[in-house]
Amino acid sequence: MIPIPSGVRVWLATGHTDMRKGFDGLALLVQERLSRDPHSGHLFVFRGRRGDLIKVLWWDGQGLCLFCKRLERGRFLWPSPADGAVTITPAQLGYLLEGIDWRMPQKTWRPSAAG
């Protein structure tokens, strides 16, 4: 898991991205499509057309880091392109990386009645 410092935001680039892009190409997308600074320390997440591959771009203070994950089965759930730039919490990013629906994860317990 990426060690996410407190106060860092996670941005999803809606739509699909050409997964052949590397550091510079994704940093340019952050600037142009998301209107953000790729050197801000925030995480920027991109998904490929098939939906089974994501890349995360992150400036750690010394340089750009590029993380990649491919699901062997299933797809990463992604907002529609009409949603524009979407920000999620680091906890939601954890769900996303596991292939879980980050928009509405289900609790496995129910609160018991007080009494």
Side-chain angles (χ1 to χ4, degrees), residues 7 34 60 64 75 77 80 93 102:
L34 302 177
D60 70 353
L64 282 173
R75 295 174 187 238
L77 294 173
S80 71
L93 176 62
W102 54 270

Side-chain angles (χ1 to χ4, degrees), residues 59-109:
W59 174 262
D60 70 353
Q62 296 178 331
L64 282 173
C65 302
L66 185 59
F67 299 94
C68 182
K69 181 165 184 177
R70 184 184 69 201
L71 291 176
E72 295 299 322
R73 287 185 287 166
R75 295 174 187 238
F76 293 105
L77 294 173
W78 212 246
S80 71
D83 293 335
V86 174
T87 183
I88 62 174
T89 66
Q92 288 173 313
L93 176 62
Y95 288 126
L96 174 69
L97 292 173
E98 293 297 321
I100 298 170
D101 186 351
W102 54 270
R103 298 166 297 184
M104 199 163 88
Q106 300 294 316
K107 293 185 186 252
T108 58
W109 58 273

Side-chain angles (χ1 to χ4, degrees), residues 2-11 23-24 26-27 30-31 36-46 55-67:
I2 302 168
I4 303 173
S6 63
V8 169
R9 297 181 77 181
V10 180
W11 293 91
F23 293 96
D24 297 331
L26 293 175
V30 169
Q31 291 175 336
R36 303 281 176 227
D37 177 12
H39 301 99
S40 63
H42 298 300
L43 279 76
F44 301 96
V45 187
F46 304 88
K55 288 186 177 182
V56 180
L57 187 68
W58 175 48
W59 174 262
D60 70 353
Q62 296 178 331
L64 282 173
C65 302
L66 185 59
F67 299 94

